Amino acid sequence: MTTVAVKPATMAQALTRALRDAMAADPAVHVMGEDVGTLGGVFRVTDGLAKEFGEDRCTDTPLAEAGILGTAVGMAMYGLRPVVEMQFDAFAYPAFEQLISHVARMRNRTRGAMPLPITIRVPYGGGIGGVEHHSDSSEAYYMATPGLHVVTPATVADAYGLLRAAIASDDPVVFLEPKRLYWSKDSWNPDEPTAVEPIGRAVVRRSGRSATLITYGPSVPVCLEAAEAARAEGWDLEVVDLRSLVPFDDETVSASVRRTGRAVVVHESGGFGGPGGEIAARVTERCFHYLEAPVLRVAGFDIPYPPPMLERHHLPGVDRILDAVGRLQWEADS
Amino acid sequence: MTVMEQRGAYRPTPPPAWQPRTDPAPLLPDALPFRVLGTEAAAQADPGLLRRLYAELVRGRRYNAQATALTKQGRLAVYPSSTGQEACEVAAALVLQERDWLFPSYRDTLAAVARGLDPVQALTLLRGDWHTGYDPHEHRIAPLCTPLATQLPHAVGLAHAARLKGDDVVALALVGDGGTSEGDFHEALNFAAVWQAPVVFLVQNNGFAISVPLAKQTAAPSLAHKAVGYGMPGRLVDGNDAAAVHQVLSEAIAHARAGGGPTLVEAVTYRIDAHTNADDATRYRGDAEVETWRAHDPIALLERELTERGLLDDDGIRAAREDAETMAADLRERMNQDPVLDPMDLFAHVYAQPTTQLLEQEAQLKAELDAEADGPHHLGEGAGR
């Protein structure tokens, strides 16, 4: 048995590799968006693609998000598989009408005759010191729209595997890229064929017995850090990385909560009307008799995303998560 | 290294003085709408084409009347009539090759029917049966689009994709005067011009966006003038002159097919009926205005041309009307049959593979349907404790 030499790679590199491999495998795959060509994207995720595949396959578009997604709809109608970049979370909002009124429902309104295999890459979330409109967590909007898959990786390997799956999907996929993990490194071997991760499966990142932290995207490393810190308090925390918000993996989440009896949902976006409410309700419906405490949420505050100098107070951090874990002793204390 | 030296590294020469890229004059529309009927240009028109346009206009008028009648009988939830605009609808359909694509708005059922779509399939959206009653690929007609102007970027993308694949395909997108105020109109025209996509935009300027007149919609000299800013030609045409609309669209499509890029065509027409059967047009316009446009009716214009030139006689007129009656009777009969819908279809086409959540909901609906069939509802075991 040979040992594969693995080396550190960043999530951004894995995403680039996924785009390159997808474009090489299928001539129908077209990358498009503002700055994705010559510049290689403001995060360099599309670096080198225009040079390798030509500007017809990796296209710098006019600066217009509705136009980018709207023309991608027409391209998909003609058999292409567009991968569009929205550059920053809040820049995607002008494209919402195309997304919601057309992309999400074209398969449904044509009774299956006109599926739209479009991947919409949205760098999202805070923690990079971005100014206003550069740090939104917009996943709840996408989750609320039937017809879309919503995916967000937290590891380098998943970034590759999930993006390949998204591009291969015959349905539109909103692919949320946690900006502050772009430069996080994992041991990953980009020179070897890399596993494609099917959309819709959560994964247990860390096993534990005392409680489950249910999380995704940029909050996964924070939860893992919190789980390590909680060991000192005698808590053995399990961390579930959802990876896919739609479809939602009830099975993995429920199995974990039934084992531990306690759960905290952790995410950056606001709690009110946010993903955590849906997740907590699902867990409660499925695991009520196993729960030792209410399902708690640790979320961003219900405020417009704050200025960078204050964002550390807004983003769920280790202390806030540990505080919630402490409150899971609710039943014993009451 | 100083900052100035760094700048010099990527900008070694001073910028040239700014110059407009092209002379805008060839892009500008004519001052008056282009006309064929009643002019010397009519002599050049193909008699076969004129007769075909006439037959389709008569059918189209009858189709609009029948569909409107179906709303009164409760067979259609709503119908946005294109009475008065049939010349635009018919020319748009007839000008396309089979391989080309049509991108209609909600008012353009007639264009879809004139292109060969089954009239019943064209009406499923408005009947409330299903959102799109046909396979768009089969007829190369995109689904009727209800949001305004959002189908225009689709047309651009499809035309662009076809050209990338080396296919000789043109897309024709229809939009109303109100739709030109939407952001998607701007983005679509801009993308089309930058990409030189083989696409033609036909604005049917029928005077009103529901109740808002053109003067409150735009301050532009004409809607065709908007083309110049995008770097594409703008053409102004009499939208009630079927021969003129056909000719202008033919030229625009040939230009696009030859790699010349997009064209914006504004057809000046008038909506004789209200916005839909649910609208009261007397609140925002007077009878005198409507009568002026009735006097410029697209069918009458073409009928006069054809009869004066000896291309149509009373028998021909009667034949066209009988053909239209046959179509209307068939439509009426088929629309009077109750559509049979399967509630389980609700879950059939949300995703390629239904999610586990949808499978659960599907099972719930199935149970509800079974229970409905079994009789009155009872609270489940454990309820009321």
Side-chain angles (χ1 to χ4, degrees), chain A residues 56 64 66-68 70-71 74-75 77-78 97-98 102 107-109 111 113-114 147-149 171 248 250 282 286, chain B residues 130-132 136-137 144-145 147 150 153-154 157-158 161-162 164-165 167 184 187 191 345 349 351-352 357 360:
Chain A
D56 283 347
I68 293 168
T71 51
M75 291 164 73
M77 283 178 171
Y78 206 77
E97 185 179 18
Q98 285 293 342
H102 294 297
R107 172 187 289 279
N108 187 252
R109 65 203 282 243
R111 307 186 88 169
M114 194 171 250
L148 301 176
H149 290 305
D171 286 317
F248 188 83
D250 282 307
R282 302 190 79 82
R286 281 163 182 74
Chain B
W130 199 257
H131 302 316
T132 304
H137 294 286
L144 297 172
C145 187
T150 53
H154 304 171
L158 183 135
L164 289 179
K165 285 190 172 187
D167 295 344
D184 281 74
E187 298 194 16
F191 271 69
D345 273 357
H349 302 294
Y351 297 99
Q357 289 77 30
E360 287 168 12

Side-chain angles (χ1 to χ4, degrees), chain A:
Chain A
M1 189 177 160
T2 55
T3 309
V4 176
V6 292
K7 54 189 176 185
T10 67
M11 181 180 280
Q13 287 169 331
L15 292 167
T16 308
R17 177 66 190 267
L19 290 170
R20 184 151 65 87
D21 288 357
M23 292 175 87
D26 183 354
V29 176
H30 283 241
V31 170
M32 54 197 283
E34 167 78 5
D35 301 313
V36 299
T38 307
L39 182 67
V42 295
F43 296 105
R44 304 294 182 267
V45 170
T46 55
D47 196 20
L49 299 178
K51 201 170 180 184
E52 185 172 349
F53 297 100
E55 290 180 11
D56 283 347
R57 297 277 309 277
C58 179
T59 307
D60 274 331
T61 64
L63 203 173
E65 288 75 14
I68 293 168
L69 188 52
T71 51
V73 168
M75 291 164 73
M77 283 178 171
Y78 206 77
L80 301 184
R81 302 184 87 85
V83 182
V84 309
E85 178 178 301
M86 287 295 162
Q87 198 161 94
F88 281 94
D89 33 58
F91 296 1
Y93 301 153
F96 264 39
E97 185 179 18
Q98 285 293 342
L99 183 72
I100 288 157
S101 293
H102 294 297
V103 174
R105 66 175 78 184
M106 192 66 82
R107 172 187 289 279
N108 187 252
R109 65 203 282 243
T110 61
R111 307 186 88 169
M114 194 171 250
L116 294 180
I118 302 175
T119 303
I120 302 146
R121 294 181 40 243
V122 187
Y124 85 120
I128 62 160
V131 295
E132 195 180 10
H133 307 299
H134 289 70
S135 299
D136 284 16
S137 293
S138 38
E139 59 268 32
Y141 305 132
Y142 302 114
M143 288 173 70
T145 304
L148 301 176
H149 290 305
V150 185
V151 170
T152 177
T155 68
V156 173
D158 275 0
Y160 179 90
L162 288 170
L163 185 52
R164 289 298 305 271
I167 296 169
S169 170
D170 286 332
D171 286 317
V173 179
V174 176
F175 192 86
L176 298 166
E177 299 175 1
K179 285 194 288 286
R180 70 177 142 125
L181 299 186
Y182 270 144
W183 304 283
S184 68
K185 289 187 176 182
D186 282 349
S187 291
W188 183 65
N189 181 8
D191 300 325
E192 289 290 314
T194 309
V196 173
E197 182 57 47
I199 291 172
R201 285 194 204 153
V203 63
V204 176
R205 288 278 171 223
R206 183 192 193 280
S207 298
R209 288 173 292 112
S210 317
T212 302
L213 301 180
I214 304 165
T215 189
Y216 55 87
S219 293
V220 171
V222 185
C223 285
L224 289 169
E225 195 185 337
E228 283 305 307
R231 283 166 54 172
E233 311 277 336
W235 285 90
D236 180 21
L237 298 180
E238 183 149 306
V239 177
V240 173
D241 174 3
L242 294 173
R243 304 198 284 200
S244 165
L245 298 170
V246 182
F248 188 83
D249 186 352
D250 282 307
E251 199 181 332
T252 300
V253 171
S254 298
S256 173
V257 176
R258 287 177 186 195
R259 278 195 299 274
T260 63
R262 293 176 169 85
V264 180
V265 189
V266 182
H267 58 63
E268 283 187 20
S269 72
F272 189 86
E278 174 63 30
I279 295 166
R282 302 190 79 82
V283 168
T284 305
E285 286 170 359
R286 281 163 182 74
C287 311
F288 184 72
H289 292 294
Y290 297 83
L291 287 171
E292 305 286 344
V295 181
L296 299 180
R297 288 169 290 165
V298 176
F301 295 127
D302 297 321
I303 57 173
Y305 197 86
M309 288 184 184
L310 292 173
E311 69 180 341
R312 71 184 180 87
H313 300 290
H314 168 73
L315 295 171
V318 170
D319 287 348
R320 204 172 284 161
I321 295 168
L322 291 177
D323 182 61
V325 168
R327 281 186 282 133
L328 289 176
Q329 297 176 77
W330 175 81
E331 199 174 50
D333 293 345
S334 61

